[in-house]
Amino acid sequence: MRITGIETTRLTSQPNLIWVEIETDEGITGLGETFRGAQAVETYLHSMAAPLILGENPLDIERLHKVLFRGYLGFNGSGVESRAASAIDIALWDIFGKVTGQPVYQLLGGACHERMRAYNTCAGVDYNSKSIQRRLIEPGAEKIRGRYDDQIAFIEDPAQLALSLIDEGFGAMKIWPFDGAAMETGGQYVSARQMRQGLEVFEKIRLAVGDQIEVMCEFHSMWNVTSALAIARELKQFRPFWAEDPIKMDSPGLLADYRRLAQIPVCGSETLASQSTFRDLLAEHALDIVMLDLSWCGGISEGRKIASLADAYQKPIAPHDCTGPVVLWASLHLALASPNAIFQEVVRAFLNTFYKDLVTELPVLDKGFLLRPDAPGLGTALAPTVKSDAQACIRRSTLPI
């Protein structure tokens, strides 16, 4: 079997997403995806990555992963090269599953979980998008959008939001009520007023539902250490499940100091690439929960190594998804095959709206848990309407005849 072509697709309505399809001479195609800088990734995929993998055996996943992930002179960060390599790697695992007739989690050693617990990230329908998908300009769109404007809800009515999630079976939710304050001060200072506004969100949730739901706090790496610790001292009383990316995630020593002084579990980070980066954070005792994004960290091949590394340090993992449906599928497979996976992130606003327009199948979410799929490979494909979209940008690289 040989790789004969690479086709990329992106939409102006989802400017951060790009899909990669790897074609073979046996008619089997694998689907991958990555997020952010889609045009730059597209250029790299066709100008640099395609010549490296066209004509190669798609089942030599680890070898091709090393070729792509080492990048220029043996090093990549979490930039364009790593994101392109991640998308290709996910597509190669999809091919492997289709060749063997097995879901990807089976190829990773089999399922460790009957189902995977999910938490809801409280983003809105058009979070990460410059425009709203077709289903949101159809009749009844405002009702759909309003129902899933969770990012507005966690500020304006956090108690009702928590109750609605519990009604759907969710046992955990993630919010970021301190981001506005960080934007006002550049993350250098948090005033008493700003502190009170952020804390009130957690207080209202606890008063309404008690401990019926776990609440994660996302900080988006927007604060300096002094301010992050000031918030942690006050936030601790509301028993947050974790503080995610509380400071910039480029200093293991500073993050370890924060973890020790904050006394709130630290989760990180979707923004990091390669097992070596996570190794440094774990060796410094800077993390309690390992979050990884398969579209940035190096794909499934690198992701399973990071998961195994976390397990060696007796730390759980919680794969990230606030990007695209293909990465959600890949992440679910990794989580199911990882004994130390405790959560898979989902965004119900995405699952119930535009994700349905992008792929043929989505993971089944049942009462706060994602069910095990049984289809070969990832279990999904690009929806036909994606490529027929008048604004779709499709580009191909093929093996020379």
Side-chain angles (χ1 to χ4, degrees), residues 169-203:
F170 283 101
M173 59 189 290
K174 185 164 74 180
I175 56 177
W176 43 101
F178 293 99
D179 278 21
M183 293 175 69
E184 285 184 34
T185 69
Q188 301 302 309
Y189 167 73
V190 55
S191 69
R193 174 187 59 82
Q194 292 167 331
M195 184 76 78
R196 183 69 254 162
Q197 288 173 339
L199 294 174
E200 280 178 352
V201 174
F202 288 88
E203 183 178 32

Side-chain angles (χ1 to χ4, degrees), residues 328-351:
L328 174 58
W329 271 111
S331 300
L332 175 59
H333 284 281
L334 177 67
L336 288 169
S338 301
N340 55 331
I342 59 169
F343 277 111
Q344 171 59 55
E345 179 178 17
V346 300
V347 184
R348 69 173 181 174
F350 295 2
L351 282 172

Side-chain angles (χ1 to χ4, degrees), residues 95-125:
I95 290 173
F96 188 18
K98 291 174 180 175
V99 168
T100 59
Q102 296 291 330
V104 167
Y105 68 79
Q106 200 68 55
L107 305 178
L108 295 171
C112 296
H113 311 275
E114 286 299 317
R115 54 184 185 164
M116 180 50 51
R117 183 184 294 106
Y119 72 86
N120 182 64
T121 282
C122 297
V125 170

Side-chain angles (χ1 to χ4, degrees), residues 126-179:
D126 50 356
Y127 187 74
N128 283 335
S129 175
K130 290 182 180 177
S131 61
I132 301 172
Q133 286 289 322
R134 284 187 305 277
R135 77 171 53 246
L136 297 179
I137 57 174
E138 294 170 351
E142 284 305 314
K143 184 176 180 181
I144 295 172
R145 184 179 181 185
R147 181 180 177 188
Y148 296 112
D149 261 345
D150 291 348
Q151 190 168 350
I152 294 174
F154 78 68
I155 296 296
E156 295 186 353
D157 197 352
Q160 185 57 44
L161 172 61
L163 286 167
S164 77
L165 290 167
I166 291 169
D167 286 344
E168 291 187 20
F170 283 101
M173 59 189 290
K174 185 164 74 180
I175 56 177
W176 43 101
F178 293 99
D179 278 21

Side-chain angles (χ1 to χ4, degrees), residues 91-383:
L92 295 180
W93 279 95
D94 190 27
I95 290 173
F96 188 18
K98 291 174 180 175
V99 168
T100 59
Q102 296 291 330
V104 167
Y105 68 79
Q106 200 68 55
L107 305 178
L108 295 171
C112 296
H113 311 275
E114 286 299 317
R115 54 184 185 164
M116 180 50 51
R117 183 184 294 106
Y119 72 86
N120 182 64
T121 282
C122 297
V125 170
D126 50 356
Y127 187 74
N128 283 335
S129 175
K130 290 182 180 177
S131 61
I132 301 172
Q133 286 289 322
R134 284 187 305 277
R135 77 171 53 246
L136 297 179
I137 57 174
E138 294 170 351
E142 284 305 314
K143 184 176 180 181
I144 295 172
R145 184 179 181 185
R147 181 180 177 188
Y148 296 112
D149 261 345
D150 291 348
Q151 190 168 350
I152 294 174
F154 78 68
I155 296 296
E156 295 186 353
D157 197 352
Q160 185 57 44
L161 172 61
L163 286 167
S164 77
L165 290 167
I166 291 169
D167 286 344
E168 291 187 20
F170 283 101
M173 59 189 290
K174 185 164 74 180
I175 56 177
W176 43 101
F178 293 99
D179 278 21
M183 293 175 69
E184 285 184 34
T185 69
Q188 301 302 309
Y189 167 73
V190 55
S191 69
R193 174 187 59 82
Q194 292 167 331
M195 184 76 78
R196 183 69 254 162
Q197 288 173 339
L199 294 174
E200 280 178 352
V201 174
F202 288 88
E203 183 178 32
K204 288 176 181 178
I205 292 171
R206 289 295 181 221
L207 287 173
V209 303
D211 293 329
Q212 293 182 66
I213 195 165
E214 304 290 354
V215 188
M216 296 89 160
C217 189
E218 165 73 87
F219 290 95
H220 290 121
S221 298
M222 297 177 74
W223 294 98
N224 63 22
V225 177
T226 302
S227 299
L229 284 172
I231 295 170
R233 284 192 292 269
E234 299 296 329
L235 184 60
K236 183 182 175 183
Q237 63 185 302
F238 299 111
R239 303 176 300 285
F241 192 81
W242 71 48
E244 185 174 332
D245 291 5
I247 62 173
K248 290 183 175 61
M249 305 298 282
D250 57 1
S251 175
L254 286 178
L255 189 61
D257 288 343
Y258 171 88
R259 175 177 176 262
R260 175 174 53 83
L261 295 170
Q263 298 184 341
I264 295 174
V266 174
C267 177
S269 168
E270 71 208 53
T271 63
L272 301 177
S274 83
Q275 60 176 321
S276 60
T277 304
F278 286 92
R279 175 203 63 204
D280 293 346
L281 289 169
L282 289 165
E284 199 70 32
H285 304 291
L287 293 176
D288 294 285
I289 299 100
V290 169
M291 175 172 285
L292 63 165
D293 187 306
L294 295 186
S295 70
W296 291 3
C297 77
I300 295 172
S301 294
E302 197 73 6
R304 65 173 180 165
K305 296 170 188 174
I306 294 166
S308 180
L309 181 66
D311 197 32
Y313 277 90
Q314 301 187 46
K315 305 293 185 181
I317 68 166
H320 175 254
D321 172 62
C322 192
T323 53
V326 181
V327 170
L328 174 58
W329 271 111
S331 300
L332 175 59
H333 284 281
L334 177 67
L336 288 169
S338 301
N340 55 331
I342 59 169
F343 277 111
Q344 171 59 55
E345 179 178 17
V346 300
V347 184
R348 69 173 181 174
F350 295 2
L351 282 172
N352 287 287
T353 57
F354 71 89
Y355 270 17
K356 296 178 180 180
D357 293 330
L358 301 179
V359 291
T360 56
E361 302 289 339
L362 285 171
V364 177
L365 180 63
D366 180 44
K367 297 178 181 177
F369 285 82
L370 293 166
L371 305 186
R372 281 165 53 173
D374 54 16
L378 294 176
T380 197
L382 274 185

